[in-house]
């Protein structure tokens, strides 16, 4: 199946013809006057009706395709190729369907655009291994042409190296319009590779308890930090990082690696507490070694491994007695008065990965949180987690 045929020696895109012009092409093809562009053999002009609409295409006559020739494409594949081609042509970007350089052919070959002097666009709906993707991309790179890969939801199987991904845009599209929007963004220079470096400086707000120790020292007992990821990108939401208890970190690691991973997680939440203590001239709790036990955590009803760390007075090393049995009801957790205490490198706790994106989602600054919302979203869930054992 091919989108393009040679009609009177001219490359002709089947889907762009009017109904009357297509009827004439069909007549010519029956007289074997239409050729396949790549093999120069006679081509049939055919129409396929499917649940996505009507697809017009060209193919070899039965039994006449060269040995080893494969050009079987789904109508979904053709629809994506044609949508991309139409979108680029409408933007005034030079593009050819099913064209290539040297010994390879791309679904769409783009001339000069904001992304590169030339660009191969490949639509891959059926599964393709990462190794095959690498080989096909390198083939084009040898010709000095990068590749834009547009996969379907199950197209890519495996992970590609970051070096390859940085130089060759890789996206997933669900519909022909998605594919057209992606190709347009890349060729217009709007798409970019997000390496997540912006999250190195993530604003963080501390959550801590102000302790008036019996020794006369005042210090902050750390509970965690709220990472304001939304201020970096509008696609992300604030998240809470605990300083003292977790059950989700270190799974699947060897014992020593587990301890290091949990300590790193706790320290991430601790950094904003330290900054707030420095700013207001009070001490901050000194951490104990990390230990674990089996118990309930959050909404879990069954016993699971829970990692914990406690904190003691920096002056006398005592640990507040009520905190060893959970947070007492009469004691309030403080939202430390500084709106944003510090910035932290939040990349280790992100659920997103470095990849190509169509556009940047500007961050936003949340409105001041009223006391009731603060308690509902952070304090009450935290109090529940502390009290369970």
């Amino acid at each position: 199946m091919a989108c393009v045929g040679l009609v009177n020696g001219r490359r002709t895109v089947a889907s762009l013809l009017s109904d009357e012009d297509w009827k004439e092409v069909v007549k010519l093809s029956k007289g074997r006057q239409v050729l396949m562009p790549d093999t120069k053999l006679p081509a049939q002009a055919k129409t396929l009706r499917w649940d996505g609409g009507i697809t017009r295409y060209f193919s070899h006559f039965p039994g006449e395709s060269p040995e080893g020739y494969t050009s079987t494409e789904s109508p979904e594949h053709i629809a994506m190729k044609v949508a991309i081609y139409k979108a680029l042509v409408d933007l005034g970007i030079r593009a050819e369907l099913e064209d290539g350089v040297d010994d390879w052919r791309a679904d769409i070959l783009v001339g000069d655009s904001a992304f590169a002097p030339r660009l191969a666009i490949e639509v891959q709906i059926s599964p393709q291994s990462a190794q095959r993707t690498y080989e096909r991309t390198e083939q084009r790179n040898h010709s000095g042409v990068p590749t834009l890969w547009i996969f379907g939801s199950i197209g890519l199987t495996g992970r590609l190296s970051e070096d390859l991904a940085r130089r060759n845009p890789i996206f997933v599209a669900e519909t022909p319009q998605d594919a057209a929007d992606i190709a347009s963004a890349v060729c217009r220079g709007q798409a970019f590779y997000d390496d997540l470096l912006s999250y190195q400086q993530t604003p963080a707000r501390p959550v801590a308890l102000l302790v008036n120790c019996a020794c006369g020292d005042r210090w902050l007992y750390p509970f965690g930090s709220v990472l304001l990821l939304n201020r970096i990108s509008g696609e992300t939401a604030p998240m809470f990082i605990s300083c003292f208890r977790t059950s989700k970190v270190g799974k699947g690691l060897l014992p020593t690696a587990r301890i290091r991973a949990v300590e790193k997680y706790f320290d991430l939440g601790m950094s904003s507490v330290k900054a707030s203590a420095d700013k207001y001239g009070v001490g901050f709790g000194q951490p104990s070694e990390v230990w674990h036990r089996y118990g309930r955590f959050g909404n879990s009803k069954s016993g699971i491994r829970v990692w914990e760390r406690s904190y003691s007075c920096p002056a006398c090393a005592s640990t507040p007695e009520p905190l060893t049995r959970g947070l007492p009801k009469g004691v309030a957790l403080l939202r430390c008065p500084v709106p944003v205490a510090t910035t932290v490198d939040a990349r280790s706790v992100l659920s997103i990965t470095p990849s190509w994106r169509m556009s940047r989602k500007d961050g936003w600054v949340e409105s001041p949180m009223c006391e009731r919302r603060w308690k509902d979203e952070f304090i009450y869930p935290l109090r529940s987690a502390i009290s369970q054992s």
Side-chain angles (χ1 to χ4, degrees), residues 5-7 25 28-29 32-36 41-44 58:
L6 292 178
V7 181
V25 169
L28 290 173
S29 76
R32 300 176 69 84
Q33 299 178 54
V34 178
L35 303 179
M36 296 291 283
L41 294 173
Q44 297 181 99
F58 300 98

Side-chain angles (χ1 to χ4, degrees), residues 162-214:
E162 185 174 353
D163 180 60
L164 180 73
R166 280 178 179 271
R167 293 181 287 112
N168 299 272
I170 299 169
F171 286 89
V172 174
E174 298 291 337
T175 66
Q177 186 59 54
D178 290 342
D181 291 343
I182 289 166
S184 299
V186 171
C187 291
R188 295 170 71 180
Q190 296 174 330
F192 70 102
Y193 185 79
D194 184 3
D195 54 14
L196 306 184
L197 287 177
S198 57
Y199 290 98
Q200 282 182 311
Q201 300 293 320
T202 303
R205 174 181 293 146
V207 182
L209 174 68
L210 182 62
V211 177
N212 292 304
C213 189

Side-chain angles (χ1 to χ4, degrees), residues 153-301:
S153 57
I154 61 171
L156 177 61
T157 57
R159 291 184 61 86
L160 300 177
S161 69
E162 185 174 353
D163 180 60
L164 180 73
R166 280 178 179 271
R167 293 181 287 112
N168 299 272
I170 299 169
F171 286 89
V172 174
E174 298 291 337
T175 66
Q177 186 59 54
D178 290 342
D181 291 343
I182 289 166
S184 299
V186 171
C187 291
R188 295 170 71 180
Q190 296 174 330
F192 70 102
Y193 185 79
D194 184 3
D195 54 14
L196 306 184
L197 287 177
S198 57
Y199 290 98
Q200 282 182 311
Q201 300 293 320
T202 303
R205 174 181 293 146
V207 182
L209 174 68
L210 182 62
V211 177
N212 292 304
C213 189
C215 73
D217 201 26
R218 300 175 73 242
W219 56 282
L220 293 177
Y221 193 99
F223 284 95
S225 292
V226 178
L227 306 185
L228 302 176
L229 301 167
N230 54 285
R231 297 195 180 183
I232 305 296
S233 171
E235 294 179 312
T236 53
M239 66 181 295
F240 177 76
I241 297 294
S242 175
C243 285
F244 74 101
R245 183 176 293 171
T246 182
S247 65
K248 63 183 180 180
V249 178
K251 293 180 178 179
L253 298 175
L254 295 174
T256 303
R258 286 181 200 153
I259 295 292
R260 287 199 297 266
V262 173
E263 287 177 340
K264 185 176 180 180
Y265 178 79
F266 285 156
D267 289 342
L268 183 62
M270 184 71 174
S271 59
S272 64
V273 177
K274 292 179 180 178
S276 186
D278 291 342
K279 182 176 180 67
Y280 291 99
V282 297
F284 56 88
Q286 298 303 300
S288 67
E289 293 184 1
V290 172
W291 75 91
H292 72 83
R293 63 183 175 86
Y294 286 91
R296 289 177 10 188
F297 183 81
N299 295 323
S300 174
K301 295 181 180 180

